[in-house]
Amino acid sequence: MTHWFHRNPLKATAPVTFNYYGVVTSPASTKICNDLRSSRMRLLELFTDLSCNPEMMKNATDSYFSLLQGFIVSLDDSSKDGKLRYIQNFKWTDTLQGQTPSAQQDAVFELISVGFNVALWYTKYASRLAGKEEITEDEAKDVHRSMKIAAGIFKHLKESHIPRLITPAEKGRDLEPRLIDTYIIQCQAEAQEVTIARAIELKHNPGLIAALAYETANFYQKADQTLSSLDPACTVKWRKYLNLKMCFYMAYAYCYHGQTLLASDKCGEAIRSLQESEKFYAKAEALCKEYGETKGPGTTAKPSGHLFFRKLGTLLKNTLEKCQRENGFIYFQKIPPEAPQLELKANYGLVEPIPFEFPALHAHWTPETLAAFDLTKKPKDDSTKPKPEEEVKPLKEPDIKPQKDTGCQIS
């Protein structure tokens, strides 16, 4: 498969001890706090552990989220907030804003931020698998499924949890609609790349491959347009990626559409379609170079050297030469001045996010353990004493070089 995908950095967070001296008044509630601290630390470790797989990630997330739910939900199933929702301040960085964190004293903010990182982890896991020289059918299915899981998590956060925040997300931060939407669309587009690779490998109908490639190019174009109103200093590298993938899959669409036209004895139109494919391929090649030279958050790579890119160039060259040969010997058709209009609709293979739900409340949360959190004993804030700032250190990721502060303006 040997695909290549752009990846933004994971979100980083300040440590949380869950120590509530005086407030916690029973061994059972103390155990919940200890379990929250250890399960959070375990999850943060797994985000950068290359040996972590989806099963390990699911077990770790279920453990932490089920415990965290006790801070958020009401035990009597009412719509009221849990009494502990605002007990703890949480800090998280944003994928495009360097090491300047956002902070909210709200367990819903923590739920969303960790969920966001889990979705990012699934995209990074898929990217590592898809970049292998040799990939099995099961691994290809894992890539496809991981992208759909990530899209489902992002979608669930956007629709069900981000609207619950008391403090709305600032512009340019991860939790605002433009960024979440871009992540959702990118996940769908990348999952469709796997579908296209499979269709090519199994020698499916060129018309279906052209339609899937066209739909995928449209996804990338839509993702780029969604980012267009954000500060270019933060998004320029990401947008180069989205643009080059759009051009790349338009080149694929015109290449396979040319094969369809040739099979229908429309050799002149086929040549014109392949010439259009060449134009998009050349644009993608130029954007690959620009991407490699562009500073900003994200993976460091030279995509034009990747096998996924080189294979299309060879296919395009061979198909065009074949059409030109056959037109010179058999068809003698004029080549139209205008490229054919692509009005392609794929009936199969289009990707939808896998629905996601957070796990249910952990069994350790009972009315008795909740009652053992006595908020009247919570120390009063002493605003006269300056509080030491907890440093938010970036997560050490194998595929991301550490970025200096980007100097992005939030607009």
Side-chain angles (χ1 to χ4, degrees), residues 19 30 32 75 77 85 107 111 132 162 166 168 172 207 215 227 235 241 280 282 336 338-339 342 371 377 380 404 409:
N19 287 333
T30 301
I32 282 180
L75 294 191
D77 290 330
R85 176 174 169 180
L111 185 81
K132 289 167 65 175
I162 291 172
I166 303 299
E215 301 267 19
L227 284 183
T235 60
Y241 167 78
F280 275 107
E338 297 294 323
L342 293 183
K377 305 246 180 94
K380 290 181 181 174
K404 292 180 182 173
Q409 300 293 315

Side-chain angles (χ1 to χ4, degrees), residues 85-159:
R85 176 174 169 180
Y86 306 106
I87 195 173
Q88 176 71 52
N89 190 49
F90 297 97
K91 283 186 183 179
W92 284 90
T93 61
D94 295 270
T95 53
L96 300 183
Q97 301 293 341
Q99 292 313 114
T100 308
S102 302
Q104 291 197 33
Q105 187 140 338
D106 187 347
V108 171
F109 177 67
E110 168 76 353
L111 185 81
I112 294 165
S113 299
V114 178
F116 196 101
N117 245 19
V118 172
L120 286 178
W121 179 86
Y122 274 101
T123 70
K124 288 169 182 276
Y125 173 77
S127 183
R128 285 196 297 273
L129 269 187
K132 289 167 65 175
E133 286 287 341
E134 295 292 333
I135 183 167
T136 66
E137 186 178 334
D138 284 344
E139 286 172 330
K141 286 178 181 175
D142 265 357
V143 173
H144 196 253
R145 181 173 174 77
S146 294
M147 296 294 196
K148 294 195 293 180
I149 290 171
I153 296 172
F154 286 129
K155 189 170 186 282
H156 182 64
L157 295 177
K158 179 194 170 190
E159 293 175 355

Side-chain angles (χ1 to χ4, degrees), residues 213-267:
Y214 183 60
E215 301 267 19
T216 303
N218 287 339
F219 264 140
Y220 279 117
Q221 185 174 39
K222 185 180 175 186
D224 177 60
Q225 288 167 349
T226 308
L227 284 183
S228 62
S229 55
L230 286 164
D231 179 11
C234 303
T235 60
V236 62
K237 191 175 185 76
W238 196 2
R239 290 191 65 196
K240 293 278 186 206
Y241 167 78
L242 297 171
N243 265 299
L244 81 83
K245 282 292 183 83
M246 186 274 287
C247 290
F248 183 76
Y249 280 98
M250 283 300 289
Y252 251 124
Y254 273 111
C255 181
Y256 277 91
H257 187 55
Q259 292 185 23
T260 305
L261 290 168
L262 180 62
S264 304
D265 296 326
K266 296 176 180 177
C267 196

Side-chain angles (χ1 to χ4, degrees), residues 177-191:
R178 289 174 294 183
L179 276 167
I180 285 267
D181 283 341
T182 304
Y183 277 115
I184 294 169
I185 298 163
Q186 182 177 335
C187 286
Q188 289 176 278
E190 290 174 349

Side-chain angles (χ1 to χ4, degrees), residues 316-386:
L316 176 52
K317 179 173 175 286
N318 293 344
T319 310
L320 180 56
E321 286 176 357
K322 178 186 176 185
C323 287
Q324 287 169 332
R325 264 196 323 272
E326 298 205 2
N327 203 43
F329 279 108
I330 303 167
Y331 294 102
F332 305 104
Q333 293 174 0
K334 286 186 177 179
I335 298 164
E338 297 294 323
Q341 288 294 311
L342 293 183
E343 295 174 355
L344 306 172
K345 190 76 183 166
N347 296 318
Y348 310 98
L350 294 178
V351 167
E352 287 298 324
I354 292 175
F356 174 81
E357 291 287 339
F358 284 108
L361 189 67
H362 198 287
H364 287 173
W365 282 106
T366 64
E368 292 74 30
T369 52
L370 184 61
F373 286 84
D374 187 352
L375 294 182
T376 63
K377 305 246 180 94
K378 187 182 176 190
K380 290 181 181 174
D381 286 338
D382 188 349
S383 55
T384 59
K385 289 184 182 177

Side-chain angles (χ1 to χ4, degrees), residues 28-99:
S29 53
T30 301
K31 176 169 172 40
I32 282 180
C33 292
N34 290 340
D35 289 349
L36 273 164
R37 180 173 61 253
S38 61
S39 61
R40 188 181 198 262
M41 287 172 66
R42 171 64 177 150
L43 190 49
L44 293 176
E45 288 167 2
L46 286 180
F47 284 145
T48 55
D49 183 348
L50 291 180
S51 67
C52 180
N53 59 41
E55 185 182 359
M56 293 165 66
M57 180 55 62
K58 185 171 189 326
N59 290 338
T61 53
D62 282 355
S63 173
Y64 182 59
F65 288 140
S66 64
L67 288 164
L68 188 64
Q69 292 278 30
F71 279 35
I72 297 167
V73 302
S74 177
L75 294 191
D76 61 6
D77 290 330
S78 71
S79 58
K80 291 190 298 184
D81 288 334
K83 77 173 191 178
L84 303 175
R85 176 174 169 180
Y86 306 106
I87 195 173
Q88 176 71 52
N89 190 49
F90 297 97
K91 283 186 183 179
W92 284 90
T93 61
D94 295 270
T95 53
L96 300 183
Q97 301 293 341
Q99 292 313 114

